[in-house]
């Protein structure tokens, strides 16, 4: 009942209605310089927030916001801004005037592009654009030279921009649940990558990733591939054939090699037997 009332009240832009949604007036800057206004049914950004110029973290997730006021640029110390689960069709340009911003959550909106002005954020290290309407990763992403983590799951991506190799600080890329039919080869050129997630795509073949010395984890499950990617010895794989290492077959007896690679049935049987022998083991 309370949520229903708040949903109705949110349609009225008066100060009293907004005060009701916020649970009262916003008078003091929290000691931790963090403000969480998530799930408040907000349709309009509360301007009084802009008075707290020392604010570091601002969470506006799960509201009904479509735009932001130009006064937001007064929050020049802001490092984390969460705008996920709203109704943005475009990224408000005022965001690009937040010089200290390092983490930006834009997931689960209605975005299909990012503004070129986003490249003016010199400290941006983490970008979430999952659950939007992107058919391609905007090229401006390749200009975010400090970017370390990119979440772009659940879009309509089928390729990555060739310029992505410029992201020499990129460590994690999450592009599961998209429309990739081929593994994005540009990722093979990014030596800094530690985690690659391409789960739930349509990739049939994976190139060798043995040369990627910083790689720690590859998630490739739920792709129609016939074998897992070749990776370094210490790299964890998540997906079918994760425990089978084709790169190590030169050490196998020739007669046994054909038995191991001929079919999935032999591999799965071997894994099941190992689990039965050691009840305490957990399959990755």
């Amino acid at each position: 009942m309370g949520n229903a009332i708040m949903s109705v009240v949110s349609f009225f832009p008066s100060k009293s209605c907004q005060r009701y949604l916020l649970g009262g007036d916003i008078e003091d800057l929290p000691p931790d310089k963090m403000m969480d206004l998530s799930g408040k049914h907000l349709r309009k950004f509360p301007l009084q927030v802009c008075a707290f110029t020392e604010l570091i973290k601002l969470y506006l997730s799960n509201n009904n916001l479509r735009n932001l006021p130009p006064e937001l640029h007064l929050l020049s110390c802001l490092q984390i801004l969460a705008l996920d689960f709203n109704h943005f069709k475009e990224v408000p340009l005022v965001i690009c005037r937040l010089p200290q911003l390092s983490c930006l959550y834009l997931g689960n909106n209605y975005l299909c592009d990012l503004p070129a002005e986003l490249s003016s954020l010199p400290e941006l290290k983490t970008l979430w654009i999952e659950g939007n309407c992107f058919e391609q990763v905007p090229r401006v992403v390749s200009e975010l030279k400090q970017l370390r983590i990119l979440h772009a799951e659940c879009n309509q991506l089928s390729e990555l921009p060739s310029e992505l190799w410029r992201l020499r600080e990129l460590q994690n890329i999450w592009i599961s649940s998209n429309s990739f039919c081929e593994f994005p080869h540009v990722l093979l050129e990014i030596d800094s990558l530690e985690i690659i997630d391409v789960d739930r795509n349509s990739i049939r073949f994976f190139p060798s990733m043995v040369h990627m010395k910083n790689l720690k984890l590859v998630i490739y499950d739920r792709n129609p591939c016939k074998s897992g990617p070749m990776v370094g010895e210490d790299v964890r794989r998540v997906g079918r054939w994760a425990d089978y290492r084709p790169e190590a077959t030169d050490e196998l007896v020739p007669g046994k090699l054909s038995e191991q690679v001929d079919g999935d049935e032999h591999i799965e049987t071997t894994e099941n037997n190992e689990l039965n022998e050691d009840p305490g083991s957990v399959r990755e």
Side-chain angles (χ1 to χ4, degrees), residues 237-250:
R237 302 187 300 180
V238 176
R240 204 174 183 188
W241 306 285
D243 297 327
Y244 169 53
R245 300 270 179 171
E247 56 270 34
T249 54
D250 56 344

Side-chain angles (χ1 to χ4, degrees), residues 39-103:
K40 299 289 187 180
H41 299 269
L42 297 175
R43 294 180 179 273
K44 183 179 179 181
F45 180 84
L47 279 176
Q48 58 265 47
V49 173
C50 297
F52 304 115
T53 56
E54 297 182 4
L55 200 64
I56 293 178
K57 303 176 184 179
L58 178 57
Y59 297 92
L60 294 162
S61 308
N62 196 23
N63 280 294
N64 300 304
L65 298 172
R66 299 175 183 271
N67 51 60
L68 296 174
E71 290 84 355
L72 189 74
H73 83 277
L74 296 173
L75 303 180
S76 57
C77 296
L78 202 64
Q79 297 178 16
I80 298 177
L81 178 60
L83 299 171
D84 47 322
F85 291 97
N86 275 282
H87 297 289
F88 291 100
K89 294 183 178 181
E90 296 180 350
V91 175
L93 291 180
V94 67
I95 293 176
C96 305
R97 299 177 63 189
L98 301 172
Q100 299 300 317
L101 197 64
S102 62
C103 185

Side-chain angles (χ1 to χ4, degrees), residues 183 198 203-209 218-220 223 225 227-230:
F183 181 83
V198 290
I203 301 172
R204 295 182 175 276
F205 172 77
F206 285 93
S208 173
M209 304 179 197
V218 180
I219 305 172
Y220 63 93
N223 278 281
C225 54
S227 63
M230 295 174 61

Side-chain angles (χ1 to χ4, degrees), residues 6 12 29 33 46-47 50 60 76 159 166 199 231 262:
M6 293 181 74
F12 297 92
L29 178 66
K33 298 181 180 180
L47 279 176
C50 297
L60 294 162
S76 57
E159 60 181 3
R166 297 174 182 169
D199 185 22
V231 295
D262 273 350

Side-chain angles (χ1 to χ4, degrees), residues 116-254:
E117 289 84 351
L118 205 66
S119 62
S120 63
L121 296 176
E123 300 298 324
L124 193 62
K125 296 179 175 65
T126 303
L127 178 62
W128 295 66
I129 56 172
E130 81 286 2
N132 278 285
C133 307
F134 292 99
E135 295 183 358
Q136 58 184 3
V137 173
R139 295 192 180 278
V140 67
V141 173
S142 302
E143 300 176 27
L144 303 175
K145 295 184 179 181
Q146 297 300 317
L147 195 66
R148 296 180 182 178
I149 301 174
L150 175 61
H151 279 269
E153 306 99 314
C154 302
N155 280 286
Q156 302 167 36
L157 305 176
S158 58
E159 60 181 3
L160 296 179
S162 58
E163 297 86 356
L164 209 66
W165 66 268
R166 297 174 182 169
L167 299 181
R168 292 307 183 185
E169 301 296 323
L170 190 64
Q171 297 175 355
N172 302 350
I173 184 165
W174 307 80
I175 49 176
S176 63
S177 299
N178 275 287
S179 302
F180 291 97
C181 293
E182 296 183 359
F183 181 83
H185 280 70
V186 67
L187 298 183
L188 302 176
E189 303 176 38
I190 306 177
D191 296 333
S192 57
L193 277 175
E194 297 180 0
I195 298 177
I196 299 175
D197 178 13
V198 290
D199 185 22
R200 294 180 183 272
N201 277 284
S202 301
I203 301 172
R204 295 182 175 276
F205 172 77
F206 285 93
S208 173
M209 304 179 197
V210 174
H211 68 285
M212 303 181 74
K213 302 304 181 184
N214 291 305
L215 195 61
K216 297 178 180 178
L217 173 65
V218 180
I219 305 172
Y220 63 93
D221 203 12
R222 285 161 285 197
N223 278 281
C225 54
K226 295 184 178 180
S227 63
M230 295 174 61
V231 295
E233 182 178 353
D234 297 325
V235 180
R236 180 188 175 194
R237 302 187 300 180
V238 176
R240 204 174 183 188
W241 306 285
D243 297 327
Y244 169 53
R245 300 270 179 171
E247 56 270 34
T249 54
D250 56 344
E251 301 176 1
L252 298 175
V253 178

